[in-house]
Amino acid sequence: MSTWRLECGACGEEVSRRGATVCPSCRKPLLARYDLGSLDGPALREAWATRRGSMWRFRELMPVEDDEAPVTLGEGETPLLEVSVPGDAADLRLFVKDEGQNPTGSFKDRGLSAAVTRATLDGAREFVIPSAGNAGAALAAYASRAGIPTQLFIPEDTPEGVARRCEHYGARIERVDGLIDECGRRSAEYAERTGAFNVSTLKEPYRIEGKKTMMLEIVEALGWEPPDAIVYPTGGGTGLIGSWKTLDELRELGLISGGTRLYSVQADGCAPIVRAWSDGSADAPKWEDASTEAWGLRVPGALGDFLILRALRETEGGAVSVSDEAMRDGARRLGAAGIGACIEGGATLAAAEALRRSGDLAAGERVVLFNTAHVLTY
Ligand SMILES: Cc1ncc(COP(=O)(O)O)c(C=O)c1O
């Protein structure tokens, strides 16, 4: 039985669940809080092990009631692959969570399956999202699965193939002269004008709930021994915040002890979280003139900046930026290990190597890299 309430991640205000977006008082992201005390952790672990088919096998920690059906395309259950890559990270135990193997080719499927499920149950009649491509394709696919139309706002310079992929799943597309933040403004206006539900990153509480299943699967695959560290390619940060949340929930359920250090990787040309981390700030001011080939990382300002930074601090992790060239090289070397890595996935290998050189990661540690999309999505 799943039951949850929503609270503001900044001011803690409790907010009514139906059609929830952001905190009505401070406009910051909302977080779902489950009644963990009413759940039997070991019994859940057994039940989860007997279920297969999608990330919804973890439904007790997800935003659906027992009698509600999720909007699913079989997302999740992606492999955690141990890899051996020559170079500065060669003495780590490296694993890749290969999220390219999701229905539309990226980890965005998890978050959008959860968000579309909840919004559809709450009566949404149209969706809108700003996207660099992967979230747009995922939203369109899940919305179409639910029989609901999607409007996308994408940056003008989005490659034609990426836009086509979104259209394939039934999205209407408008190209915007600007980056993702300008697309975000246009999406908010559109939602205001038409009543469409805005599924923009952290403008609703449930994409985090879908993304957090990545960490549930990782911990389960490692025999309920959380990894020493994860390296996450960070744009808006939903997966990172979700991973942090999962670890807390599993600890509270008595299913794990100990922790995992969370590390963010961003691009040298757009690194607001890395800059805020090294300045010791609690939030991350907007990065001007953002530029990187890693579209998923070209996010100059994240609504959940304060949550990302809190997650890094509380887990004793950190943040590092890498060049586009190092990301491309990382993706190529993961490719040589058989992984269909996108450039953001390549960034995690480059970052793990930088963190090993700096001594943040120690020889023999179990470190999980996130390959967030398939190379073919580009
Ligand atoms: C391939 C890829 N990796 C990483 C990211 C960043 O993810 P998040 O917004 O969860 O930080 C994105 C977001 O667009 C993406 O498409």
Side-chain angles (χ1 to χ4, degrees), residues 12 23 26 37 49 54 75 93 105 115 120 129 131 152 155 179 197 240 297 309 311 318 329 344 354:
C23 174
C26 68
S54 79
E75 56 294 325
R93 278 195 70 191
T120 303
I129 199 169
S131 173
L152 298 188
L179 300 185
F197 190 76
L240 189 95
L297 305 187
L309 289 160
D329 181 57
E344 292 85 352

Side-chain angles (χ1 to χ4, degrees), residues 185-207:
R185 262 190 296 280
R186 296 288 300 278
S187 300
E189 270 167 29
Y190 184 88
E192 187 71 37
R193 187 159 38 84
T194 62
F197 190 76
N198 188 351
V199 217
S200 182
T201 302
L202 298 181
K203 290 272 170 77
E204 60 72 54
Y206 298 117
R207 284 175 64 183

Side-chain angles (χ1 to χ4, degrees), residues 142-165:
Y142 285 90
S144 291
R145 179 90 170 147
I148 297 177
T150 294
Q151 173 68 45
L152 298 188
F153 289 93
I154 62 175
E156 188 72 70
D157 59 358
T158 304
E160 190 51 31
V162 172
R164 285 271 170 78
R165 190 157 61 92

